[in-house]
Amino acid sequence: MRHGKTIVLVTAALVTLLCVAAPAFAATLTPVEELGKALFFDENLSLNRDQSCATCHAPEVGWTGPTAAINAHGAVYEGSDPGMFGDRKPPTSAYGGDSPVLHYDEVAGLWIGGMFWDGRATGWTLGDPLAEQAQGPFLNSREQALASSDDVIAAVKLSTYAGLFEQVWGPDSLDADVAYDYVGLSIAAYEASSEVNPFSSKYDAWVAGKAKLTRPEMQGFRLFMNKGKCGNCHVPPLFTDFTYDNLGIPKNLENPVYTWNSIYWVDPGLGGFLKSMAEPESVWAAEMGKHKVPTLRNVDLRPSPDFVKAYGHNGYFKSLRDIVHFYNTRDVAVWDPPEYAATVNTTEMGNLRLTAVQEKAIVTFMKTLSDGYLPQGR
């Protein structure tokens, strides 16, 4: 159970929120953040010069997948190498900068921290999981697909921001052995900046005393934190606790992974990563099928009401209404079987006994987490 850890995290989180709750509508970036932004949006840092980080993590949809037609089906995006696809939907690249280095909390009995759905950007090398995550897609054959870190640096040297790179990291830094580390650290700085993490939602305005939640929004918040048990893992103000869980989500059979791999393929999540690190079976087996708890900030941010967003590590769900109904009724209604059954969380979801009105209220509350809210009078 998470409840003891959650209380500690909530206390710390509320203190943090006092410093960041005021809505931010404009951001002035530092030089390293400006550099990270240039790297983040540079399509030349890919095999065919056609894919940047923003291709799968676009600001207008909450820094996640920006193509409704893709989200409505397999929910995974094609890489720079045509015909190559990932096997998980893009998570948001915002509000992840506080994720700690991956570690096992003996008291809570949980793995905490790291980045990627499976935690493989541990932070063990650079001390920053977000920076290590930023390095990954450039060299992933199913994403930006460059052959080596040297290829990334060669492209940066030809960029319009090469001078900024050396301004930030020092003369000849592009020729340094750690140049690729500087790339990751720069992108992480931008992803942790106030431009990407403005804390400018209606929820933030409400916490700051600059907005009022409607009666359904307030009802949803109370249900979110109590009967719905959402707040056990999606802890304010970041609306994640950086842990891993198996929600029992079914396979998304529209994912191309089942074409090039096998219909029997199962995403091992954190357990698969720990197994690859030669952890003993007593460690990795309990984590199979578990994926990182995502932040719910911007979970409903979309460019138009009919824009389709995907939810879950594999994008199986296509609306907040559906995934909330799944959380509520998974164990008492007819659903497709879980992708990985052995480790499904049966204590915090599956039979919450929420009414349809209560489910709707929780969704209504989650819509207050979208950035860009303008309090009255502004």
Side-chain angles (χ1 to χ4, degrees):
M1 297 292 289
R2 302 166 187 269
H3 302 119
K5 178 171 67 66
T6 297
I7 293 171
V8 175
L9 286 171
V10 168
T11 302
L14 291 175
V15 172
T16 303
L17 186 56
L18 294 176
C19 300
V20 300
F25 300 97
T28 300
L29 299 180
T30 65
V32 68
E33 291 168 352
E34 287 283 6
L35 174 60
K37 182 175 182 178
L39 290 160
F40 188 92
F41 286 95
D42 189 354
E43 293 185 343
N44 290 316
L45 305 183
S46 61
L47 178 66
N48 289 304
R49 299 186 177 184
D50 59 354
Q51 187 173 77
S52 70
C53 304
T55 300
C56 297
H57 303 279
E60 65 270 19
V61 290
W63 304 91
T64 185
T67 306
I70 295 175
N71 300 339
H73 296 286
V76 298
Y77 283 65
E78 189 173 23
S80 184
D81 187 0
M84 300 294 280
F85 291 84
D87 48 33
R88 298 173 182 136
K89 91 167 194 73
T92 179
S93 58
Y95 295 104
D98 288 331
S99 187
V101 171
L102 182 67
H103 66 284
Y104 185 74
D105 187 310
E106 296 283 353
V107 176
L110 298 168
W111 286 88
I112 303 174
M115 293 294 292
F116 288 121
W117 283 108
D118 61 2
R120 68 186 185 277
T122 60
W124 298 342
T125 301
L126 297 180
D128 183 351
L130 193 59
E132 292 181 16
Q133 185 280 326
Q135 292 177 319
F138 295 119
L139 309 184
N140 188 324
S141 62
R142 300 187 176 278
E143 297 186 70
Q144 285 156 277
L146 290 172
S148 70
S149 59
D150 289 341
D151 290 341
V152 179
I153 299 304
V156 173
K157 286 181 178 180
L158 297 174
S159 72
T160 59
Y161 52 86
L164 177 60
F165 194 103
E166 297 208 326
Q167 175 188 329
V168 168
W169 295 108
D172 302 319
S173 54
L174 280 168
D175 295 312
D177 292 339
V178 293
Y180 194 55
D181 291 345
Y182 294 152
V183 168
L185 291 166
S186 300
I187 294 174
Y190 174 62
E191 290 181 323
S193 73
S194 58
E195 180 170 304
V196 181
N197 313 271
F199 291 92
S200 62
S201 70
K202 184 177 183 180
Y203 169 82
D204 296 307
W206 170 65
V207 170
K210 297 181 179 180
K212 291 184 178 180
L213 297 185
T214 65
R215 182 172 295 179
E217 289 168 349
M218 181 60 74
Q219 180 192 19
F221 174 65
R222 289 170 178 159
L223 289 164
F224 183 97
M225 295 302 297
N226 294 288
K227 184 178 180 180
K229 300 184 180 180
C230 314
N232 288 6
C233 304
H234 298 286
V235 182
L238 295 175
F239 291 89
T240 177
D241 62 0
F242 304 114
T243 62
Y244 296 78
D245 211 341
N246 181 358
L247 310 181
I249 294 176
K251 291 182 178 182
N252 181 355
L253 294 177
E254 293 191 72
N255 187 329
V257 69
Y258 297 106
T259 299
W260 59 261
N261 196 324
S262 164
I263 194 67
Y264 300 107
W265 182 80
V266 171
D267 188 334
L270 174 65
F273 166 67
L274 294 174
K275 184 177 181 180
S276 75
M277 297 300 293
E279 292 283 355
E281 184 174 359
S282 60
V283 172
W284 58 257
E287 311 304 326
M288 294 294 283
K290 294 185 180 181
H291 294 87
K292 193 169 183 192
V293 174
T295 177
L296 294 184
R297 282 187 169 271
N298 292 319
V299 70
D300 190 61
L301 185 63
R302 62 189 76 216
S304 64
D306 61 347
F307 181 91
V308 178
K309 295 188 75 169
Y311 301 98
H313 69 278
N314 60 10
Y316 179 88
F317 294 100
K318 309 304 179 185
S319 72
L320 287 177
R321 179 193 63 192
D322 287 349
I323 195 168
V324 169
H325 187 56
F326 175 77
Y327 271 54
N328 182 30
T329 67
R330 182 197 64 205
D331 298 342
V332 294
V334 177
W335 292 96
D336 289 335
E339 181 176 14
Y340 189 86
T343 60
V344 170
N345 183 338
T346 58
T347 61
E348 295 172 300
M349 62 193 73
N351 185 16
L352 299 176
R353 297 179 174 84
L354 297 168
T355 67
V357 171
Q358 290 173 329
E359 286 184 6
K360 183 177 180 180
I362 290 173
V363 171
T364 299
F365 166 69
M366 288 195 286
K367 292 182 177 183
T368 72
L369 301 178
S370 296
D371 285 326
Y373 174 76
L374 294 175
Q376 291 183 354
R378 292 189 65 95

